[in-house]
Amino acid sequence: MIVTLLAALLQTPNTSPAVLMPLDKWSVDYGNTGCSLARSFGDEAAPVTLRFTPASLGGFTTIMLDAPAGNARQRQAGTAMLQFQPENRTLTADYMSPGQRDENHRALAIRLIGQEIGIWRGVERLAISLDKSPPLTVELKGMHTAISALQKCQDDLLRDWQVDPGEVSNMAVNPKLVSDLGEIFDPKYLRNGLPKGELLRVNMLFTVGIDGSVSACRVIETSGQDALDTATCALSIGRIRYRPARDKSDRPMVSHAVLAVRWPSPPE
C-alpha cells in the first residue's frame, strides 16, 4: 500500500529515514479555478512530487503527494500527521488516495481544514506520517518566496473574478452549502439539453448574501456548452442557500463561493 511505499522510499534496514532533497524549483500553476504550488523531491528516476493547492476563497489547503505506484492499494484513507520544522509544530488531518493515477504513479490527498497557505512561509522541512508509519521528510527550501508567488496567483485570480482579495483575509468563517443539489440540478430541468452519454461540469462563482442566498452567478470554467452554462446559473440564483460567511467580528458578511456542478445525461 502507499503507506508502506512512501516509508520504503525513505529508509533501508537499520537506518533512520532519509530527507528527500529538491530536484527542481518551485513552480506555480495558474488554473481557471485555483492556483497550486509544486516541486519534486528525492530520486530523479522515481521522484515524489509535493503540491499545495489552497482553496481560492480560503477555508482549507489540500496537500497532494504523487509517488511511484509500487504495490499500492487501489484506494485507501486514514489519518496523516504533519510535523513542521524548525518550530516542531504538528497537525493531524484526514488523507485519502483516489487510486492509481496511471500505471507508474499514485496520488494521495491531505486536506488541512482552516489552514491558510501563509502558515507555510517559515517552514523549512516537512515530515508526513501516514497512520503512524515512518515519516516521509522533505527539505522544502525557499518557501517564503514560493508562498508569496502562490499568494500573488490567488490574488490575481480573485481580481479576475472581480472579487476583492481582502474578502478572504476578513473572513473568519466561510459560507457553508446547505441546499440539496440533487433537487436543484435534476437533469429533467434540461429536457434534451445534454448530449447522451456525456458527463459535463460547470464551475460557478456565486455571490452569497448575509442571509445565505445566492444573488449572482458567474461561470468560471465552462462545460463547453453556452446553453448549459446559462441554465446552470439560472437554476442556482435564488434557489441555492448557504450558511452565511462571518467576519472576524462574528457578523454575517457578503461573500463568494465556488461550486462545481456535474450534469449526468437525462434518462431515456
Side-chain angles (χ1 to χ4, degrees):
M1 63 182 182
I2 199 167
V3 174
T4 304
L5 170 67
L6 294 179
L9 289 171
L10 299 171
Q11 59 183 344
T12 57
N14 302 317
T15 66
S16 299
V19 177
L20 301 187
M21 303 303 292
L23 293 173
D24 50 19
K25 296 181 179 180
W26 288 107
S27 63
V28 176
D29 177 33
Y30 277 64
N32 291 327
T33 60
C35 302
S36 62
L37 176 70
R39 197 174 198 179
S40 294
F41 300 84
D43 184 353
E44 290 186 0
V48 172
T49 299
L50 190 65
R51 184 179 299 272
F52 297 89
T53 305
S56 52
L57 289 162
F60 64 89
T61 297
T62 301
I63 301 175
M64 293 293 300
L65 276 171
D66 191 328
N71 296 315
R73 292 188 316 207
Q74 281 298 104
R75 186 180 182 88
Q76 65 177 22
T79 301
M81 176 175 287
L82 287 75
Q83 184 178 64
F84 305 83
Q85 296 294 344
E87 64 265 41
N88 202 32
R89 179 167 51 92
T90 60
L91 287 175
T92 58
D94 293 334
Y95 76 84
M96 69 163 294
S97 173
Q100 191 163 321
R101 178 169 64 79
D102 57 40
E103 64 181 8
N104 298 314
H105 297 85
R106 287 187 184 277
L108 182 146
I110 303 169
R111 177 167 287 194
L112 302 180
I113 303 296
Q115 299 296 325
E116 302 302 333
I117 196 65
I119 70 169
W120 295 92
R121 288 186 186 275
V123 180
E124 298 175 4
R125 182 176 290 184
L126 173 66
I128 302 175
S129 179
L130 307 179
D131 299 320
K132 301 181 180 180
S133 68
L136 179 153
T137 304
V138 292
E139 189 76 28
L140 296 178
K141 293 189 176 182
M143 283 297 280
H144 192 280
T145 300
I147 293 300
S148 294
L150 179 59
Q151 187 66 63
K152 181 180 184 303
C153 175
Q154 287 188 286
D155 290 351
D156 288 346
L157 183 66
L158 293 179
R159 292 190 185 100
D160 185 58
W161 292 347
Q162 299 176 21
V163 175
D164 181 358
E167 176 184 309
V168 176
S169 59
N170 189 44
M171 192 184 305
V173 178
N174 290 71
K176 181 177 177 60
L177 182 69
V178 295
S179 294
D180 183 345
L181 298 182
E183 294 181 359
I184 294 172
F185 299 112
D186 191 317
K188 70 184 180 184
Y189 291 126
L190 300 185
R191 297 179 183 175
N192 296 320
L194 285 170
K196 299 300 180 185
E198 290 194 28
L199 181 66
L200 300 177
R201 185 179 72 176
V202 184
N203 258 295
M204 298 173 292
L205 174 71
F206 296 148
T207 301
V208 180
I210 60 172
D211 63 351
S213 64
V214 171
S215 60
C217 172
R218 173 182 175 179
V219 173
I220 56 176
E221 188 171 44
T222 178
S223 65
Q225 297 194 17
D226 291 344
L228 180 60
D229 293 348
T230 300
T232 306
C233 265
L235 287 169
S236 303
I237 295 174
R239 302 181 71 210
I240 291 182
R241 299 196 69 83
Y242 286 80
R243 189 176 300 138
R246 305 189 78 84
D247 64 20
K248 292 184 177 178
S249 297
D250 199 33
R251 297 172 299 192
M253 61 179 284
V254 175
S255 63
H256 293 82
V258 172
L259 181 69
V261 174
R262 293 170 176 83
W263 285 102
S265 297
E268 298 288 348

